């Protein structure tokens, strides 16, 4: 168990340091949704994948936002109702439709979201026209959960996303 926790910490630290998970133009996507209000008009949410760790207990969501509009837009899908640190994408959740359960990103011992978060001003949230940014979030989910709905504030839901 200590080895798994150390690996999770190392992986999380590496992802936090980079800000984005991979060059967005190299990622496939499972499904998409569009922005649903004036702040996200012209934006497209792409769910790239949800992959489990070897234990099946943790799942990492990779998601991207593409600006198909004509103006620069700043995105901010955080949830201020929870006790997460202020500069994170803690508002990105997974929902199990069958059990009606919502999964928020895991937190570390400092109440920081285990997701893309801005610890030193390194996370870009500004999208120029034609640009795509990729982010990640880590969740603790039941081992038998097969599909989820991905919820990103200000975007439509992405349903029936498989956990691989």
């Amino acid at each position: 168990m200590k080895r798994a926790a150390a690996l999770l910490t190392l992986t999380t630290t590496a992802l936090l340091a980079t800000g984005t998970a991979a060059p967005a133009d190299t990622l496939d996507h499972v499904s998409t949704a569009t922005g649903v209000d004036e702040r996200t008009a012209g934006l497209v949410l792409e769910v790239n994948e949800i992959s489990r760790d070897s234990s099946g207990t943790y799942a990492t969501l990779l998601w991207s936002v593409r600006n198909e509009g004509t103006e620069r837009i700043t995105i901010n899908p955080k949830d201020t109702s929870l006790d997460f640190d202020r500069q994170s994408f803690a508002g990105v959740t997974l929902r199990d439709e069958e059990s009606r359960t919502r999964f928020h990103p895991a937190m570390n011992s400092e109440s920081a979201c285990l997701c893309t978060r801005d610890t030193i001003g390194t996370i870009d949230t500004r999208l120029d026209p034609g640009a795509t940014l990729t982010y990640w979030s880590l969740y603790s989910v039941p081992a038998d959960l097969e599909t989820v709905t991905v919820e990103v504030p200000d975007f439509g839901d992405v349903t029936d996303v498989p956990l691989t």
Side-chain angles (χ1 to χ4, degrees), residues 34-42 153-155:
T34 57
V36 296
D37 71 12
E38 64 184 49
R39 291 181 300 150
T40 56
D154 304 323
F155 287 91

Side-chain angles (χ1 to χ4, degrees), residues 30 34 42 61 65 67 70 82 94 100 125 132 134 142-145 150 154-155 157:
V30 176
T34 57
L61 166 67
V65 178
N67 185 352
T70 58
L82 298 173
L94 305 180
R100 303 178 71 98
T125 58
T132 302
T134 301
D144 62 347
L145 187 60
V150 177
D154 304 323
F155 287 91
D157 290 349

Side-chain angles (χ1 to χ4, degrees), residues 92-123:
V92 178
T93 60
L94 305 180
R95 187 175 70 231
D96 176 12
E97 298 296 341
E98 188 174 315
S99 70
R100 303 178 71 98
T101 303
R102 180 172 281 120
F103 301 95
H104 292 273
M107 290 189 332
N108 68 14
S109 60
E110 287 87 37
S111 295
C113 173
L114 295 180
C115 61
T116 302
R117 61 188 178 100
D118 197 353
T119 56
I120 54 172
T122 59
I123 305 305

Side-chain angles (χ1 to χ4, degrees), residues 28-138:
D28 291 328
H29 61 274
V30 176
S31 192
T32 62
T34 57
V36 296
D37 71 12
E38 64 184 49
R39 291 181 300 150
T40 56
L43 297 181
V44 175
L45 167 69
E46 297 177 338
V47 173
N48 304 107
E49 71 176 8
I50 305 176
S51 58
R52 291 184 179 276
D53 71 342
S54 59
S55 74
T57 303
Y58 295 101
T60 302
L61 166 67
L62 291 181
W63 56 282
S64 303
V65 178
R66 184 176 67 248
N67 185 352
E68 292 185 346
T70 58
E71 297 181 24
R72 176 185 258 191
I73 298 174
T74 300
I75 62 169
N76 188 22
K78 64 182 184 177
D79 184 347
T80 56
S81 67
L82 298 173
D83 190 26
F84 287 109
D85 62 345
R86 60 182 171 82
Q87 296 298 323
S88 72
F89 291 123
V92 178
T93 60
L94 305 180
R95 187 175 70 231
D96 176 12
E97 298 296 341
E98 188 174 315
S99 70
R100 303 178 71 98
T101 303
R102 180 172 281 120
F103 301 95
H104 292 273
M107 290 189 332
N108 68 14
S109 60
E110 287 87 37
S111 295
C113 173
L114 295 180
C115 61
T116 302
R117 61 188 178 100
D118 197 353
T119 56
I120 54 172
T122 59
I123 305 305
D124 195 2
T125 58
R126 297 173 315 268
L127 283 130
D128 289 321
T132 302
L133 294 172
T134 301
Y135 303 101
W136 67 277
S137 303
L138 181 71

